Amino acid sequence: MTPGAQYSDDTAAQPLRSDAERNRERIVAAARRVFARDGLNASMASVAREAGVGIATIFRRFPTKEELVAAVFADRMDAYAEAVAVALDDPDPWHGFVGYIETACAMQATDYGFADVLTTTFPTAKALEARRNEAYEGMVRLIDRAKATGRLREDFDPSDLVLMHMANAGVVNATGDAAPDAWRRVVALFIQSFEAPARGPLPASPEHEALYKAMLRPGPGGLTAPAPDRTS
């Protein structure tokens, strides 16, 4: 192959790579809008329509819905982990704990998709799950510190945060634009119930394995459903 031919091949390949990257960015941006509006139950077909591409193009870039979700919410999960870090830096552990709850629940309220992300686990999305685990470990440390101050009830369990996010996601999705601030009252009720002295004992917290299985729920269509047969 002559140097001229090599140069010609390289310049021909570059626009293809650029087009592929532009398509990927368009799909991710469209998915962000669709998931924020409709939650994770939104179909891949809805994303394709929003992006102005064919469904086959979506599945070439993201063979499963889970991979698309991971790409869309990587930055949001980073912001969530940062909220935990900010809470840990607060010299008053109780104040940091309350601030984290208010910040995380507000993130759910402004993005229906992220409301679902915080209550769903994605085993194949390694980077997303690593950030989630990092945030969880930070929250366990913060919970211990808040208990040591006497402000957080002694029987509070880290799994209670998962239940809180599940409840908040339900309120956010149920009230929508009709009562967009309803979640604030629910969160305030949660915070007051977390504070010591406790008004009474709590039922046993769910087993962590059971809660993990609940977070694996795929929802309609399945997050990890395989791509459709493109040959048909």
Side-chain angles (χ1 to χ4, degrees):
M1 181 178 291
T2 65
Q6 178 66 52
Y7 177 79
S8 176
D9 287 347
D10 286 347
T11 55
Q14 185 60 40
L16 290 177
R17 287 194 294 270
S18 297
D19 287 347
E21 182 58 28
R22 280 195 296 272
N23 271 343
R24 186 183 188 281
E25 292 174 357
R26 183 188 306 170
I27 291 166
V28 170
R32 182 173 287 115
R33 293 190 297 272
V34 170
F35 291 149
R37 182 184 67 230
D38 302 331
L40 296 191
N41 285 341
S43 68
M44 295 288 262
S46 296
V47 175
R49 285 193 297 271
E50 181 77 16
V53 300
I55 190 69
T57 299
I58 296 275
F59 281 114
R60 277 197 298 273
R61 302 293 178 267
F62 302 97
T64 68
K65 189 175 182 181
E66 185 167 303
E67 291 178 60
L68 179 57
V69 168
V72 167
F73 291 104
D75 59 341
R76 299 289 283 168
M77 190 60 78
D78 285 344
Y80 173 74
E82 179 60 23
V84 176
V86 169
L88 280 168
D89 286 341
D90 194 312
D92 180 341
W94 172 254
H95 184 266
F97 177 77
V98 170
Y100 153 77
I101 289 175
E102 292 173 342
T103 298
C105 289
M107 292 175 69
Q108 286 186 294
T110 57
D111 187 325
Y112 289 180
F114 194 66
D116 293 337
V117 166
L118 283 187
T119 61
T120 310
T121 193
F122 308 94
T124 66
K126 302 301 184 183
L128 195 72
E129 289 302 298
R131 289 297 267 165
R132 185 205 301 276
N133 291 337
E134 175 188 327
Y136 178 81
E137 290 167 6
M139 280 309 304
V140 170
R141 295 197 301 274
L142 184 61
I143 287 167
D144 289 340
R145 293 179 191 176
K147 285 183 179 181
T149 69
R151 296 293 301 279
L152 179 62
R153 59 186 299 157
E154 278 297 323
D155 56 356
F156 185 89
D157 187 87
S159 65
D160 292 328
L161 290 176
V162 179
L163 296 177
M164 178 194 72
H165 284 308
M166 287 180 171
N168 191 49
V171 170
V172 167
N173 283 299
T175 56
D177 293 336
D181 290 329
W183 67 274
R184 296 183 186 278
R185 184 175 177 86
V186 174
V187 169
L189 290 169
F190 271 119
I191 291 171
Q192 291 181 32
S193 72
F194 296 158
E195 191 170 7
R199 303 300 191 272
L202 293 171
S205 60
E207 294 291 335
H208 286 204
E209 182 63 25
L211 203 53
Y212 178 77
K213 287 180 180 178
M215 293 177 70
L216 280 171
R217 67 195 189 289
L223 283 175
T224 55
D229 183 358
R230 302 188 197 91
T231 61
S232 59

